[in-house]
Amino acid sequence: MLNPSEDGDGENDHASTSFWGAMKTIVIADAVMGIDNALGIAAAAGGNFWMVVFGLLVSVPVVLFGSSVIAKILERYPESVFVGSFVLFVVAAKMILAEPLLDTHLDPLHDFYETVLPWLVAILMTAKQYYRSRIHR
């Protein structure tokens, strides 16, 4: 993780100093993460309504009870964060390639882009992320 004072963007980071400012930050972060969770589940379900329902039913307890376990794993093995990012890259690439506009233009390459390209993109992006994390140490 980057230290906010060392992120190099040249902007000042502002932390909330009041209770209500901190509460506002927590509520906004929680809402954004909830939307992110729902979008990720919907993408992984591939349009199957019952898989979305099942994913939400499973993900809520995992988030509630599994976050401490994941935090301990990440604390002990910081490199394991790349496993999660790899999964997100694969799902994101599959979502992008499943868009109807791209699907019609990429139809001649159907087998390649549907099976190989998401994994290739995920490998390359995770490798780049890993490399960049090594530079900033």
Side-chain angles (χ1 to χ4, degrees), residues 76-121:
R76 184 169 175 139
Y77 307 105
E79 307 298 325
S80 63
V81 73
F82 297 110
V83 174
S85 64
F86 178 80
V87 171
L88 290 174
F89 286 134
V90 170
V91 172
K94 286 184 175 187
M95 284 177 65
I96 291 168
L97 294 172
E99 283 297 311
L101 179 66
L102 285 178
D103 196 36
T104 57
H105 294 294
L106 298 174
D107 198 47
L109 302 170
H110 182 73
D111 290 336
F112 172 75
Y113 84 83
E114 193 172 87
T115 56
V116 177
L117 192 57
W119 297 98
L120 184 62
V121 166

Side-chain angles (χ1 to χ4, degrees), residues 61-76:
V62 167
V63 169
L64 291 175
F65 302 115
S67 61
S68 63
V69 173
I70 292 169
K72 288 177 184 175
I73 291 171
L74 289 173
E75 186 177 318
R76 184 169 175 139

Side-chain angles (χ1 to χ4, degrees), residues 78-79 82 130 132-137:
E79 307 298 325
F82 297 110
Y130 181 78
R132 290 185 65 176
S133 73
R134 290 288 173 214
I135 289 175
H136 293 292
R137 284 194 179 182

Side-chain angles (χ1 to χ4, degrees), residues 2-16:
L2 293 175
N3 185 343
S5 63
E6 298 175 0
D7 61 0
D9 64 0
E11 297 180 16
N12 293 331
D13 294 323
H14 300 285
S16 296

Side-chain angles (χ1 to χ4, degrees), residues 9-32:
D9 64 0
E11 297 180 16
N12 293 331
D13 294 323
H14 300 285
S16 296
T17 56
S18 68
F19 172 78
W20 291 111
M23 184 63 72
K24 177 182 161 188
T25 301
I26 291 169
V27 168
I28 290 171
D30 191 39
V32 169

